[in-house]
Amino acid sequence: MEINRYIDHTILKPTATSEDIVEVCKEAKEYNFFSVCVNSGFVPLAKKELEGTDVKVCTVVGFPLGAMSTAAKVFETQQALKDGAEEVDMVINIGELKSKNFKQVEEEIAEIKKTVGDKVLKVIIETCYLTPQEIVLASEIAVKAKADFVKTSTGFGNDGARLENIELMKKAVEGKAKLKASGGIKNLDTALSFIEAGVERIGTSSGISIVKELKK
């Protein structure tokens, strides 16, 4: 099993330096991870470091709170794409979802998907702040707005990926979007349990130890 091809090798901490980004890109090339996921300001650097390889550049938009204006998110997306991002993980406006402004949430995702075009858009719904009913709703809204993936978490909330939430998301998207689990996935057993549950991508900064565990 090529577990490395499930992994978005992630470095999103606020203290990440240029040297850290270069190191993560080097690791991603060595282990042939699916992508490197960086904050949008580091997209040009990651693009340069990964040139000529199969490793994609993934970035986050509206991260980690999701509470900025749609225009700001769209601009950040446009700039990231210009800088070389191939996949975008956006955070929904959680407050708008909780305010039952579902149309607004859907329109924002649709607007960003329009900007992303044929590249991949993953929608982070931040499950730790949502009720089961809201997880289902957020997933259905993402599908309606033509998102390619729904994703569990930013890794900055008060909890990460949980299997029961993946089950809810899977049922809600009905095969019309893929699933990404992220947040707290630090070992092989956890990664495999999510893959068995139907996840097609895993966001983690522990990719190397997961791969090494599998090789053992």
Side-chain angles (χ1 to χ4, degrees):
M1 179 198 203
E2 286 189 293
I3 201 164
N4 53 311
R5 300 303 292 164
Y6 281 86
I7 291 172
D8 289 341
H9 194 39
T10 303
I11 180 160
L12 297 168
K13 58 185 184 186
T15 53
T17 63
S18 302
E19 289 77 14
D20 294 332
I21 304 299
V22 170
E23 183 56 32
V24 159
C25 290
K26 203 192 293 173
E27 291 165 357
K29 287 187 279 193
E30 186 185 336
Y31 288 89
N32 194 26
F33 290 130
F34 192 90
S35 82
V36 161
C37 188
V38 297
N39 281 299
S40 59
F42 281 120
V43 168
L45 177 59
K47 186 68 181 169
K48 180 170 150 277
E49 291 299 315
L50 295 169
E51 207 136 346
T53 74
D54 284 344
V55 183
K56 296 190 184 300
V57 179
C58 170
T59 195
V60 288
V61 159
F63 195 84
L65 302 178
M68 47 294 290
S69 69
T70 297
K73 287 180 183 174
V74 168
F75 181 81
E76 187 178 15
T77 304
Q78 287 167 338
Q79 188 61 49
L81 294 170
K82 213 181 283 179
D83 289 339
E86 294 157 280
E87 298 197 343
V88 170
D89 292 18
M90 68 162 284
V91 187
I92 65 161
N93 192 315
I94 301 157
E96 292 291 12
L97 183 83
K98 285 191 161 292
S99 304
K100 299 190 171 33
N101 294 331
F102 305 132
K103 195 168 187 293
Q104 196 165 328
V105 176
E106 185 186 332
E107 282 170 359
E108 178 174 276
I109 299 168
E111 187 70 26
I112 293 171
K113 180 55 192 172
K114 203 168 84 184
T115 307
V116 168
D118 56 7
K119 293 190 165 69
V120 169
L121 176 65
K122 307 189 202 95
V123 174
I124 307 170
I125 65 174
E126 199 68 296
T127 50
C128 65
Y129 297 134
L130 306 181
T131 65
Q133 188 192 8
E134 287 168 340
I135 289 170
V136 168
L137 264 169
S139 302
E140 289 171 347
I141 289 167
V143 165
K144 264 196 221 157
K146 305 278 191 284
D148 302 284
F149 276 79
V150 284
K151 174 177 166 183
T152 57
S153 327
T154 60
F156 284 73
N158 57 24
D159 201 2
R162 284 178 172 271
L163 282 169
E164 60 266 32
N165 293 337
I166 284 291
E167 293 301 340
L168 288 170
M169 291 159 72
K170 187 180 179 179
K171 212 174 268 184
V173 301
E174 298 178 319
K176 294 176 194 141
K178 296 173 182 177
L179 304 167
K180 176 174 172 179
S182 67
I185 301 168
K186 296 184 186 301
N187 58 49
L188 181 62
D189 278 354
T190 310
L192 289 175
S193 65
F194 279 106
I195 291 167
E196 277 160 28
V199 159
E200 293 195 37
R201 203 79 65 77
I202 286 168
T204 180
S205 52
S206 305
I208 294 172
S209 58
I210 289 170
V211 169
K212 281 181 174 170
E213 236 186 295
L214 184 65
K215 281 182 180 162
K216 270 182 200 166

